[in-house]
Amino acid sequence: MDESPVPTDDPKPQGKGRPTPKRRDAEGRRRQPVTAPANRKDAYKQMRARQAADRDKARQGMMRGEERYLPARDKGPVRKFARDWVDSRRVISQYFLPFSLVILLLTWIPFPPEIRNWVYFGVITIGWPIMMVGVLATSVWVSWKVKKLAAEKFPGENLKGIGFYASMRALQIRRLRFPPPQFLPGGKPAPPKA
């Protein structure tokens, strides 16, 4: 029996259409010049430069709020929601640290004795207790509100510690918050930092 090849209408070309390169040619194209350091001192210098570049890249990523560069305590959609909720509002507790600084400065200024008594009375008897009650009430309200809203928005997520996280962020001065706020008070997106 004579078996001759049967022509087919298969449009696929046979083979890859070019010859296989020789091994030495293929390896030669893959090779790149090695820039190994000449001594240990240069190796450490290159390593430190590489680590500094990595740290700078991570810091810039954290400042932009990129999830993969954030520390573990700030990761996750629930934490981002809490940060954004706190940052888009003005709360009494964010003025706690500046108010404390003003009180401290007032007690250090050498006023005459009769004025100093009025300053101490105003600070210790009136100002400080009002601020503490305001901070405590605001912290409890922020914690409760964020927990409630997060439970509605993220029903399957772990909400452990989210109220404390939000209330501690609300205590911080806005410019010193980390990760930086992504929203301005009122809910408008914050302009990107240069």
Side-chain angles (χ1 to χ4, degrees):
M1 286 192 197
D2 184 21
E3 289 187 22
S4 61
V6 179
T8 62
D9 295 334
D10 189 14
K12 274 196 317 188
Q14 300 296 324
K16 62 184 173 236
R18 59 180 168 77
T20 302
K22 297 206 178 297
R23 174 177 278 179
R24 70 169 178 254
D25 296 334
E27 287 177 351
R29 279 194 299 262
R30 279 197 308 252
R31 287 187 187 179
Q32 296 176 354
V34 177
T35 56
N39 55 35
R40 178 177 264 175
K41 186 177 180 181
D42 291 342
Y44 281 129
K45 191 181 286 187
Q46 283 182 3
M47 181 183 70
R48 283 194 299 269
R50 192 171 44 250
Q51 288 174 341
D54 290 345
R55 280 193 304 270
D56 188 49
K57 182 180 175 184
R59 186 184 63 76
Q60 289 174 359
M62 283 191 285
M63 297 310 278
R64 286 190 303 269
E66 291 181 29
E67 185 80 14
R68 65 182 172 153
Y69 294 114
L70 294 176
R73 69 156 200 252
D74 296 318
K75 286 186 177 180
V78 178
R79 300 290 171 130
K80 180 170 180 8
F81 169 77
R83 284 194 306 271
D84 293 345
W85 190 90
V86 169
D87 293 339
S88 64
R89 286 157 179 76
R90 290 193 193 275
V91 290
I92 293 171
S93 59
Q94 77 185 43
Y95 302 108
F96 172 69
L97 293 175
F99 183 76
S100 299
L101 183 63
V102 168
I103 287 176
L104 193 61
L105 291 175
L106 284 175
T107 58
W108 282 355
I109 296 175
F111 290 115
E114 57 275 356
I115 296 176
R116 187 177 333 139
N117 290 339
W118 281 104
V119 169
Y120 285 168
F121 174 77
V123 167
I124 295 171
T125 311
I126 299 171
W128 190 253
I130 288 174
M131 188 61 187
M132 291 307 293
V133 168
V135 166
L136 184 62
T138 303
S139 296
V140 169
W141 178 76
V142 165
S143 176
W144 171 79
K145 188 72 172 177
V146 167
K147 274 196 257 184
K148 180 181 174 210
L149 292 173
E152 291 171 2
K153 189 168 183 169
F154 304 99
E157 293 284 333
N158 180 10
L159 302 177
K160 183 177 180 185
I162 194 66
F164 181 75
Y165 179 79
S167 62
M168 287 295 105
R169 187 164 177 95
L171 269 174
Q172 296 170 353
I173 298 171
R174 184 175 183 79
R175 288 181 179 264
L176 302 179
R177 290 178 184 169
F178 179 81
Q182 302 293 313
F183 291 94
L184 297 172
K188 292 181 183 175
K193 292 187 177 181

